[in-house]
Amino acid sequence: MKDSKDMYRLIPGMVALLVGAAIFVILGFALESGTQQGMLDFYAIYTGAQCVLHHQDPYRESEFLKVYFTGGGTLPADPAHKERVCKAVAICINLPTTIVTPLPMCAAGRVRR
């Protein structure tokens, strides 16, 4: 009987965890749909991983941008916004372990732009 009582004590924590996760997923979708370019911070990590898969150096801006544009990445027409996007996307300052993390998604080709 003690085990079932312990299990019921975990339920509020699990509910709080699931509600919190749902809130962050909904917030992520809301923030992504509110911008023209979507979530650029993720695409920078994803493109870095794509560079590694294509035997390119993710820390070289020219190679990074080549992989970004080959994968369907675009730049906005507005010059001010274009400069901000270039700074956000073209600079891969992530540690190598961060680049390795999305490799399974890159290899499967599961991420849409």
Side-chain angles (χ1 to χ4, degrees):
M1 287 292 195
K2 185 178 179 186
D3 291 337
S4 64
K5 288 182 181 179
D6 288 340
M7 185 179 75
Y8 287 117
R9 283 190 210 156
L10 296 176
I11 290 175
M14 293 299 292
V15 169
L17 179 69
L18 292 174
V19 169
I23 288 171
F24 276 104
V25 167
I26 292 168
L27 183 63
F29 280 117
L31 289 175
E32 180 183 21
S33 65
T35 63
Q36 290 178 338
Q37 289 293 323
M39 302 297 261
L40 290 175
D41 54 351
F42 176 73
Y43 290 133
I45 295 171
Y46 179 77
T47 304
Q50 284 285 4
C51 287
V52 171
L53 281 179
H54 295 292
H55 305 289
Q56 303 288 327
D57 183 4
Y59 298 105
R60 280 208 168 128
E61 186 175 349
S62 61
E63 293 179 14
F64 188 89
L65 286 175
K66 184 173 104 176
V67 172
Y68 177 74
F69 290 128
T70 302
T74 60
L75 294 176
D78 179 29
H81 194 98
K82 182 178 180 178
E83 183 180 342
R84 281 185 278 160
V85 170
C86 280
K87 285 181 182 178
V89 171
I91 300 172
C92 185
I93 56 172
N94 301 306
L95 297 173
T97 53
T98 307
I99 293 172
V100 171
T101 303
L103 278 176
M105 288 184 290
C106 294
R110 299 282 186 223
V111 176
R112 63 177 171 80
R113 289 192 191 258

